[in-house]
Amino acid sequence: MTTFALATFAVLLALAALRAPIFVWSAAVGVMGASWAVILGFGATTNALLAAAFLGLALALNLPALRRRLLSDPVLAVYRRILPDMSPTEKEAIDAGTVWWDADLFSGRPDWERLLATPAPRLTAEEQAFVDGPVEEACAMANDWEITHERYDLPPQLWQFLKEKGFFGMIIPKKYGGLGFSALAHSEVVTKLSSRCNALAVTVMVPNSLGPAELLLHYGTDEQKNHYLPRLAKGQEIPCFALTSPEAGSDAASIPDFGVVCKGNWQGKEVLGMRLTWDKRYITLGPVATLLGLAFRLYDPEHLLGGHEDLGITCALIPTATQGVNIGRRHLPLNGAFQNGPNWGKDVFVPLDWIIGGPEYAGRGWMMLMNSLAAGRSISLPASSAGGAKALARVTGAYARVRSQFHTPIGKLEGVEEALGRMAANAYMMEATRVMTAGAVDQGEKPSVISAIAKYHMTEGARACVNDAMDIHGGKGICLGPNNWVGRGYQVLPVGITVEGANILTRTLIIFGQGAIRCHPYVLREMRAAKEMQGEEASREFDDAFTAHIGHTLANGVRTLLHGLSRSMFATAPITAAPETRHYYRHITRLSAAFAFLADVSMLAMGGALKRKEKISGRLGDVLSMMYLASATLKRYEDQGRLKADLPLVRWSVRRALHSAQQAIDQVLSNFPVKALATLLRWIIFPLGMPFRPPLDSRNRECARIALEPGAARDRLTAGIYLPKGEADATGVLETALLATVACEPIEKKFREAVKSGALTPRSGADTAQLARDQGLITAEEYAQWQRKEALRKRVIMVDDFPQDFGRAEIVRKLLDDQPARAKAA
Ligand SMILES: Cc1cc2nc3c(=O)[nH]c(=O)nc-3n(C[C@H](O)[C@H](O)[C@H](O)COP(=O)(O)OP(=O)(O)OC[C@H]3O[C@@H](n4cnc5c(N)ncnc54)[C@H](O)[C@@H]3O)c2cc1C
């Protein structure tokens, strides 16, 4: 009997795991039920009653019409009652964009072979030439200290250079005079620029991200495109996009800025137009913009357009020279020095055909914004964060080798090593995410959930990196000046955290909230059946999605348990993946099943309240995100040819992602509102306890070594950033000092050992190396080499000091001398 009970249990698990159709379930349950009746020896009456009950249930489940009437329709009725109504703006946000690898991770069965078969993103020769040429040149022209302390702006010649070389038209097709770059190229340009100067990167990012050009490309009329796109491409127009107002930040759909459709006089003629009133703030490039992309709510009280009174959010292009437009004042965003400021207008009359897309796009602004958000969000901030992280890993590794305390390079002290190793692995994972995400955009995706994941985790990754870098640099990172390569990055970092969906909101509301609807294989279908369909159509669609949903949840639950009991041994991994990383794929497959199951049970247990339970949904979002970041890391390892030297970075970051995902699940379970369900879930998800440990210290050491050691692995880790040539620049001196330090280590070892053995006695105030040379312990050439290294080391560790006025008087004189050049550039 025990054997048969076990066999019954195994068959049920197998049916669930394999998502057997209902008729197979019915047949199997019928056969097993009959066998149990024989084994247990029930009487004829009991057998007849049980058989009748079984047949009734089987018929109800197998006959769709009956199933709908008895099961799905009542569930649909309850679902309709509890499903919160969605505002049109929420619906447009949900519908926007596409899903990609996130849907695989949400399914519980990621198709790894498909991911690995995606070609590694590559630049064209022309794009590479641009990165190696004009981008390199723009970086060389940007002196971050001069920009952030003296000018609070890019120098006029750099503005001019950016315009002439087409930096503002990377996303504009060639037929309009733009560069027509791929998402990867666009991302590569921003990566390099941001490794040099944040203000430079932001200035280039904004015209290429969500704004006039992007909106015109998708929705503009031919006339608007033909007029504006060539001008934007060549920098003859400087665009900005103004959505945020003092009362509406994260809740941007509630902007109070408005327009009223009316007739008015325009260039001597009466035309149909809008009277606009707005008050915006934080608008990047606003103070220097010539073309203002403006979002406002449009009303038509006199029904001049024939439709509703409240038409909804609308986007228009307003030349800033238009009478009544107030622009030009500046905010000072953490010394970022990129142009940013408020703008406003009251009752400014403009023609209706200034609406992007013309009058028929009145009220469709939110849809336009939501649909255009994903591409830019996949590129700009991920690229600037990856550029920052790679640059920080490079300079911090170098500094930690050049700077010694306790007679040891600080990078070899375990505490510092821990932070440095973390930075290196972080930079690897961020770069992997940047490239994979930009690659998805180049495949035609507009990945709404993935872009939120990339935006949130890359800006947080950059924050972690800059915090580590600051700690490692100590006072050197704190005293600002031209010789500080970390401090400005530290200051300006929160800007990325705040813009394009502030991070707390992105993590706790968007990633899982949008993911659960968009990436889930059935939820959106169920919602549409409930809210957008009626009668027979709704009943059929809901029944189809709902029954499949039950099978999906059961399958993931059983697979989660089996993967837990077998420690992921039988979970899917791609046979084409490197053997040394295959177990990671298996673990992610296990996590994916667990996540899909947990997400379903959470939605079932909490329903619409889950949206408000941001602590829970934030953690569920973390699980999805960690799987995405780990997938990107594994893909990068494959795309780069499985370079063994990079394996510590892969291992550290994937293990950390697995561990973080596990901790997030643990916290969801610990805070789950239905305690009995939480216990059951924990038993299913972690039947043998929590399997993933944080990365090992030994692995962390290997990662730190990559940042400390000049060579191919370090160059690969930091590829794509700007490297100053020569010693004119502080980071150029640092690179040279690193090489000199490494070259001098054997020399230092000689006289250290001589001191230890007593062959050399250091004297206070005397140069030990000189004594070593005098005693013939090192050669004259070695001494000269050591002296040069010392000179470089001193330059590296020095910090800047200033006159009482921080040189302001001198700066003002210099800027006044610059007036003619500035006027020309403007
Ligand atoms: C330097 C800079 C440049 C910018 N550039 C532009 C630009 O060019 N154009 C433009 O239109 N806007 C721009 N912005 C505006 C930017 O997009 C907003 O700052 C952002 O949307 C957040 O709004 P807020 O600052 O008013 O913060 P708030 O909306 O007040 O948010 C404050 C905090 O509450 C959190 N929060 C809000 N709602 C929720 C929620 N439902 N759940 C959980 N947490 C929530 C946020 O995450 C944040 O942490 C810029 C801002 C800055 C600082």
Side-chain angles (χ1 to χ4, degrees), residues 202 206 210 239-252 255 280-286 293 295 331-334 338-341 343 492 494-510 611-612 614:
V202 173
V206 167
L210 179 55
C240 68
F241 191 77
L243 173 63
T244 306
S245 52
E247 301 300 338
S250 300
D251 185 10
I255 38 173
K280 302 290 190 182
R281 65 174 178 181
Y282 303 149
I283 308 308
T284 305
L285 295 190
H331 301 304
L332 181 54
L334 293 168
F338 54 87
Q339 295 281 342
N340 183 278
N343 62 73
V492 87
V495 173
I497 302 287
T498 302
V499 300
E500 291 193 14
N503 274 9
I504 294 180
L505 166 124
T506 301
R507 171 174 173 264
T508 57
L509 197 70
I510 297 180
K611 187 176 163 190
R612 290 185 301 279
E614 293 187 346

Side-chain angles (χ1 to χ4, degrees), residues 670-816:
S670 300
N671 294 285
F672 210 77
V674 189
K675 293 300 166 201
L677 200 50
T679 308
L680 180 68
L681 283 168
R682 190 179 285 284
W683 184 81
I684 293 173
I685 296 173
F686 300 127
L688 303 178
M690 294 205 283
F692 305 122
R693 286 170 298 136
L696 295 173
D697 286 351
S698 53
R699 202 69 77 211
N700 166 268
R701 167 164 300 171
E702 291 167 355
C703 294
R705 287 287 144 87
I706 291 173
L708 286 168
E709 198 63 51
R714 176 172 178 263
D715 288 345
R716 229 177 3 256
L717 177 67
T718 59
I721 65 167
Y722 176 71
L723 289 178
K725 301 184 178 50
E727 293 171 27
D729 197 291
T731 48
V733 176
L734 177 63
E735 272 295 312
T736 318
L738 172 67
L739 299 179
T741 302
V742 173
C744 278
E745 279 170 358
I747 303 171
E748 286 188 335
K749 191 168 172 226
K750 277 189 202 171
F751 58 77
R752 255 202 330 273
E753 281 173 358
V755 171
K756 221 173 176 180
S757 68
L760 182 68
T761 313
R763 285 202 303 270
S764 91
D767 177 351
T768 311
Q770 194 176 359
L771 292 175
R773 183 202 57 186
D774 293 346
Q775 291 187 24
L777 296 169
I778 59 172
T779 65
E781 291 76 42
E782 286 175 325
Y783 177 61
Q785 195 182 341
W786 187 83
Q787 272 188 312
R788 159 127 177 92
K789 184 270 305 186
E790 273 299 280
L792 286 163
R793 185 185 67 76
K794 288 203 162 71
R795 285 176 70 188
V796 164
I797 66 167
M798 62 87 82
V799 298
D800 298 286
D801 47 41
F802 299 91
Q804 280 294 328
D805 72 343
F806 289 103
R808 298 301 310 165
E810 176 63 21
I811 291 166
V812 169
R813 252 197 312 279
K814 195 167 142 189
L815 290 178
L816 287 175

